[in-house]
Amino acid sequence: GENVEQHPSTLSVQEGDSAVIKCTYSDSASNYFPWYKQELGKRPQLIIDIRSNVGEKKDQRIAVTLNKTAKHFSLHITETQPEDSAVYFCAAKETGGGNKLTFGTGTQLKVEL
Amino acid sequence: KAGVTQTPRYLIKTRGQQVTLSCSPISGHRSVSWYQQTPGQGLQFLFEYFSETQRNKGNFPGRFSGRQFSNSRSEMNVSTLELGDSALYLCASSLSGQTYEQYFGPGTRLTVT
């Protein structure tokens, strides 16, 4: 089955700096890669996603890049703000098999003033 | 549209008991997936239901079961509870089998004593 590794486990940046979180996946057949943000005590919130036929997607300060050859994808947050502080999860969905998502272990992002 | 809802939000049970959790998807969504979230194991897929049929199942023992009703509401049941079943149980809904975006409910916090 699919295996997703996520790094780093914790990330501390200064407000206004950029943050990058990286994930690798094992199943080359995976075709959908979402990112979720989970604030303390709240539900995971879908913030951006990318499909395997696209190399990059951007939404305001957030972007995701996908390298299918290397089987890795990354989340980029620019101009970080204190409200970006949360745990971020990457995930991968295998082709077929319904909507099963395999998640990375999460990255605790802290944006310091 | 109203988001995904889950009931109850908090639950305390004793070892050996059983529990039923409920999930109401976003109106019009037909796919419901269940995930277990723990500090040690992260987010792990339990199963997915689509049109009242289990379409996929994760690596959990048979004590974990679920079902989906004709209105797409879903329930999951855990029998013979163990201490290790203490976790946040999240459900996520998706529009259809071909729409990958999943939206999470607030979760049910289960504590087994």
Side-chain angles (χ1 to χ4, degrees):
Chain A
E2 177 65 278
N3 182 52
V4 177
E5 294 188 359
Q6 183 172 347
H7 299 280
S9 57
T10 61
L11 179 59
S12 184
V13 300
Q14 294 293 314
E15 182 180 9
D17 287 350
S18 295
V20 181
I21 302 171
K22 298 181 179 181
C23 290
T24 60
Y25 60 99
S26 61
D27 189 346
S28 58
S30 289
N31 64 348
Y32 173 68
F33 307 91
W35 285 88
Y36 286 87
K37 173 185 180 182
Q38 188 175 28
E39 297 175 77
L40 190 62
K42 296 191 176 181
R43 72 186 75 190
Q45 177 189 2
L46 178 65
I47 57 171
I48 196 167
D49 56 11
I50 193 167
R51 301 200 179 201
S52 58
N53 59 347
V54 176
E56 183 174 0
K57 184 177 178 181
K58 189 174 181 180
D59 182 5
Q60 299 182 346
R61 297 186 297 109
I62 294 174
V64 57
T65 58
L66 171 65
N67 184 325
K68 286 191 299 181
T69 303
K71 290 189 287 187
H72 67 70
F73 57 112
S74 300
L75 177 70
H76 305 253
I77 305 174
T78 59
E79 301 172 18
T80 54
Q81 302 167 2
E83 51 265 38
D84 294 330
S85 296
V87 178
Y88 291 81
F89 292 96
C90 63
K93 192 196 88 66
E94 301 166 29
T95 301
N99 282 337
K100 174 185 176 182
L101 292 177
T102 300
F103 282 86
T105 50
T107 296
Q108 175 74 60
L109 173 63
K110 182 177 181 181
V111 180
E112 300 177 335
L113 298 171
Chain B
K1 284 184 179 179
V4 180
T5 59
Q6 292 186 244
T7 58
R9 293 293 311 278
Y10 303 91
L11 208 49
I12 300 175
K13 290 287 187 178
T14 304
R15 272 181 304 173
Q17 290 185 315
Q18 72 167 20
V19 66
T20 299
L21 312 181
S22 180
C23 172
S24 292
I26 293 170
S27 178
H29 283 199
R30 295 170 60 197
S31 168
V32 174
S33 297
W34 289 88
Y35 295 86
Q36 181 195 65
Q37 186 174 28
T38 60
Q41 298 297 318
L43 279 153
Q44 291 190 293
F45 174 81
L46 281 154
F47 29 64
E48 180 202 1
Y49 286 87
F50 178 73
S51 294
E52 302 179 63
T53 301
Q54 186 181 90
R55 183 160 62 174
N56 211 337
K57 192 177 189 304
N59 297 323
F60 279 82
R63 300 185 296 106
F64 292 82
S65 62
R67 60 177 175 169
Q68 187 179 35
F69 301 95
S70 58
N71 62 357
S72 295
R73 189 178 69 86
S74 178
E75 289 182 346
M76 69 164 280
N77 183 277
V78 188
S79 63
T80 320
L81 285 165
E82 301 177 359
L83 295 178
D85 297 333
S86 294
L88 180 67
Y89 290 89
L90 294 157
C91 74
S93 77
S94 182
L95 185 60
S96 73
Q98 298 305 316
T99 305
Y100 300 158
E101 294 82 359
Q102 293 185 46
Y103 301 93
F104 281 90
T108 294
R109 173 73 64 184
L110 172 64
T111 302
V112 182
T113 62

